[in-house]
Structure formats: structure tokens, C-alpha cells
């Protein structure tokens, strides 16, 4: 295997999450010049990101991902084409001395490409949580690290040189996004795709790690978060608008995905 194309990662120790966020380049913007000490996973949603690594040209377009490795000099010869992407920073701790490591932690090495294709919607659930979950104490720090490891496992299982969502799951995702306020999403899915609910639920969970109703709840919270930031509507009104007539159910789901209540979210955003 070409050492410039593939990367060997040995676990444990496991990767440690640092930060992540969505990023949008302006027209004519260049990638920054730096030598960075962490891994950066780039998942491009739209446009094209251009940069060089140790003098080698790299171009990552919509539907592609790339893993920037530590301590390589990055700059840009050409402007990027207004890329919209999600980045995740992580680091690999020093290797555990095996003379003191618990015997149940046997080393496992995976070989992965440093670039490939993927459907970013498969990871959207984790993108929003990792970017927005507040780290206030040790418990929330552990929770965010757990989320990252869940994402990383899913990414390793699904994103590769030729890995994509199946057409039916891709269409189900779009269907749910267009009907996120529906009260009977599984019934609508069975009617639209002509399969049993059990079959569709199993297929969706196999490829995304989440059942359709859980993905629908996430989309509702995503829209509610925007409403909290952009309007003065009450929490009850927003919950109803995104599909939850019961306010307590809305608050419980919002807290499950973002780690705080809708009111706490709104108050925190107003202070920023």
C-alpha cells in the first residue's frame, strides 16, 4: 500500500476529540498556512476545498472527505471554490506501555485511506451534537468524547474509497427531512417505499446507526434550535411548530440532543 495514501491507526489508546464545527469559505478565500499538531477530518458538503500538504496539491469536493495528518505544512496555491464543510480535530495519545496495559486491551491496527467519499447526512446527528453540546463538567466532557467515538466507529464502518448510502436510505432521509413534523412517519414511509415498517427500520438503522423516528426527532430539534435563535416565539409554540404538541416531550428530546433545555439554549445564545 502507498504510505502516502493509507494510514495505520492502532487502538488503544483511542483518539481524543478536541473540537469540531461547520465552516463556510467566502468567495476567493484561501486555506490558511500552518503546521498543525492534530488530525483534522474534513467532510465537504458543498463546493471545493483546495490546499497543499508538504507541497502536494489536495482538492476535496462535495461528497468527499480527507484526513489532514499532524505536523504537515499546509498552505494554498489557489483559492477554494466556496467550500461548506465540517471539520473534526482529534489527536492520538502516546502508545500505552504494554507491560502495564490491562490484558483485555489487545492492540488492534486498522488501515484506512486518507481520503474517500461519503454521504455527510449519515453523520449529521453527531455533527450538531459535537458542535453544540456544552462542556460544563467532567460528566459532559465524557459524554462528548463518547459521542465522538460513536461517530468515529460509524465513520470507519461507512466512509471509504467507494462507500455510500444505499439509494433507499438516502431517499428515506430526504423524505423524513421534508416531513419532519409528521405524526406518523413510519406509516408514511411504508406507504411511500412499499416495504414493511420493520424492514425499513432495520435497513435505516443498519446504515445510519439510528432508527427513522430518532432521526426525525433530531431534525425537529435542529429546526427548533433555529427558531429559538431567530424568533421570539415561546418554547411551547416552537415545540408545536416542529411537531411536538406535548411541551414536556419537546423539552426532553431537546435536552437529549443538545444537553440543555430550550430556554437554557436561548438564554445562552443571547449572551454570545
Amino acid at each position: 500500500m502507498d504510505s502516502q495514501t493509507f494510514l495505520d491507526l492502532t487502538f488503544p489508546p483511542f483518539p481524543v476529540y478536541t473540537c469540531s464545527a461547520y465552516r463556510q469559505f467566502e468567495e476567493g478565500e484561501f486555506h490558511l498556512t500552518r503546521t498543525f499538531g492534530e488530525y483534522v477530518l474534513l467532510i465537504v458538503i458543498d463546493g471545493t476545498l483546495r490546499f497543499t500538504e508538504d507541497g502536494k496539491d489536495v482538492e476535496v469536493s462535495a461528497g468527499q472527505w480527507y484526513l489532514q495528518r499532524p505536523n504537515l505544512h499546509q498552505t494554498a496555491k489557489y483559492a477554494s471554490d466556496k467550500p461548506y464543510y465540517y471539520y473534526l480535530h482529534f489527536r492520538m495519545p502516546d502508545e500505552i506501555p504494554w507491560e502495564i496495559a490491562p490484558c483485555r486491551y489487545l492492540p488492534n491496527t486498522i488501515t484506512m485511506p486518507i481520503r474517500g467519499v461519503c454521504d455527510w447526512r449519515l453523520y449529521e446527528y453527531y455533527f450538531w451534537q459535537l458542535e453544540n453540546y456544552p462542556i460544563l463538567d467532567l460528566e459532559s466532557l465524557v459524554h462528548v468524547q463518547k459521542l465522538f467515538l460513536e461517530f468515529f466507529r460509524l465513520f470507519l464502518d461507512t466512509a471509504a474509497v467507494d462507500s455510500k448510502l444505499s439509494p433507499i436510505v438516502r431517499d428515506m432521509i430526504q423524505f423524513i427531512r421534508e416531513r419532519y413534523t409528521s405524526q406518523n412517519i413510519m406509516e408514511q414511509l411504508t406507504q411511500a417505499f412499499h416495504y414493511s415498517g420493520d424492514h425499513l427500520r432495520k435497513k435505516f438503522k443498519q446504515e445510519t446507526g439510528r432508527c427513522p423516528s430518532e432521526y426525525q426527532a433530531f431534525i425537529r430539534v435542529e429546526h427548533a434550535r433555529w427558531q429559538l435563535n431567530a424568533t421570539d416565539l415561546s418554547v411551547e409554540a416552537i415545540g408545536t411548530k416542529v411537531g411536538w404538541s406535548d411541551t414536556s416531550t419537546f423539552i426532553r428530546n431537546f435536552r437529549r440532543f443538545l444537553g440543555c433545555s430550550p430556554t437554557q439554549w436561548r438564554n445562552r445564545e443571547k449572551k454570545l
Side-chain angles (χ1 to χ4, degrees):
M1 290 183 178
D2 183 352
S3 62
Q4 300 301 317
T5 305
F6 291 83
L7 177 72
D8 289 336
L9 294 176
T10 300
F11 310 113
F14 297 100
V16 176
Y17 171 78
T18 304
C19 66
S20 64
Y22 286 96
R23 176 77 159 85
Q24 173 73 67
F25 269 35
E26 300 295 332
E27 184 74 42
E29 185 172 350
F30 284 72
H31 188 283
L32 77 169
T33 297
R34 67 180 180 183
T35 301
F36 194 55
E38 296 183 351
Y39 291 93
V40 183
L41 178 59
L42 306 167
I43 299 176
V44 178
I45 298 167
D46 194 23
T48 299
L49 180 64
R50 299 185 181 94
F51 56 93
T52 66
E53 275 190 331
D54 283 356
K56 296 183 178 180
D57 293 338
V58 178
E59 186 172 283
V60 193
S61 298
Q64 299 178 339
W65 61 269
Y66 186 88
L67 183 62
Q68 294 180 331
R69 290 148 293 165
N71 305 316
L72 299 182
H73 181 70
Q74 299 161 359
T75 187
K77 298 177 184 176
Y78 310 103
S80 293
D81 184 17
K82 296 181 65 176
Y84 178 53
Y85 62 95
Y86 195 84
Y87 66 83
L88 297 102
H89 291 200
F90 67 93
R91 57 185 176 84
M92 294 298 295
D94 293 335
E95 183 176 335
I96 297 175
W98 294 112
E99 64 271 16
I100 64 171
C103 61
R104 60 193 176 95
Y105 290 125
L106 298 177
N108 178 38
T109 300
I110 64 165
T111 300
M112 63 177 290
I114 63 169
R115 66 179 305 148
V117 297
C118 67
D119 190 319
W120 66 273
R121 293 171 297 183
L122 181 60
Y123 318 115
E124 191 178 17
Y125 168 88
Y126 294 102
F127 288 174
W128 281 110
Q129 289 213 72
L130 287 169
E131 182 178 9
N132 295 296
Y133 199 95
I135 300 178
L136 305 174
D137 51 27
L138 181 60
E139 183 178 358
S140 57
L141 178 64
V142 171
H143 177 74
V144 169
Q145 175 65 13
K146 178 176 179 290
L147 281 173
F148 171 70
L149 291 176
E150 286 181 4
F151 157 78
F152 200 70
R153 181 183 62 184
L154 178 62
F155 182 80
L156 292 176
D157 287 343
T158 58
V161 174
D162 59 356
S163 175
K164 289 185 178 181
L165 288 177
S166 64
I168 189 172
V169 171
R170 189 182 303 113
D171 289 344
M172 287 172 68
I173 287 174
Q174 186 62 31
F175 189 93
I176 294 170
R177 292 188 69 88
E178 293 173 353
R179 298 165 179 81
Y180 68 92
T181 61
S182 173
Q183 301 303 312
N184 55 350
I185 195 64
M186 282 308 307
E187 180 180 340
Q188 291 189 31
L189 286 168
T190 58
Q191 292 175 354
F193 293 92
H194 308 292
Y195 287 101
S196 70
D198 287 343
H199 174 81
L200 292 175
R201 192 178 295 108
K202 182 179 179 180
K203 180 72 172 174
F204 195 92
K205 190 165 186 176
Q206 280 178 339
E207 295 192 27
T208 70
R210 303 286 165 179
C211 64
S213 59
E214 196 169 6
Y215 182 73
Q216 180 191 31
F218 161 71
I219 298 301
R220 287 180 175 182
V221 168
E222 179 184 342
H223 282 269
R225 186 182 66 86
W226 181 87
Q227 294 280 344
L228 288 164
N229 292 346
T231 75
D232 292 324
L233 292 173
S234 68
V235 169
E236 293 79 7
I238 291 174
T240 301
K241 193 170 183 179
V242 300
W244 281 302
S245 56
D246 178 44
T247 304
S248 62
T249 302
F250 169 45
I251 294 173
R252 183 172 65 253
N253 278 277
F254 195 95
R255 189 183 296 276
R256 177 163 67 102
F257 287 108
L258 294 179
C260 62
S261 71
T263 300
Q264 289 170 328
W265 175 273
R266 173 175 272 169
N267 291 338
R268 190 181 70 191
E269 291 297 299
K270 286 180 177 179
K271 294 178 181 178
L272 296 178

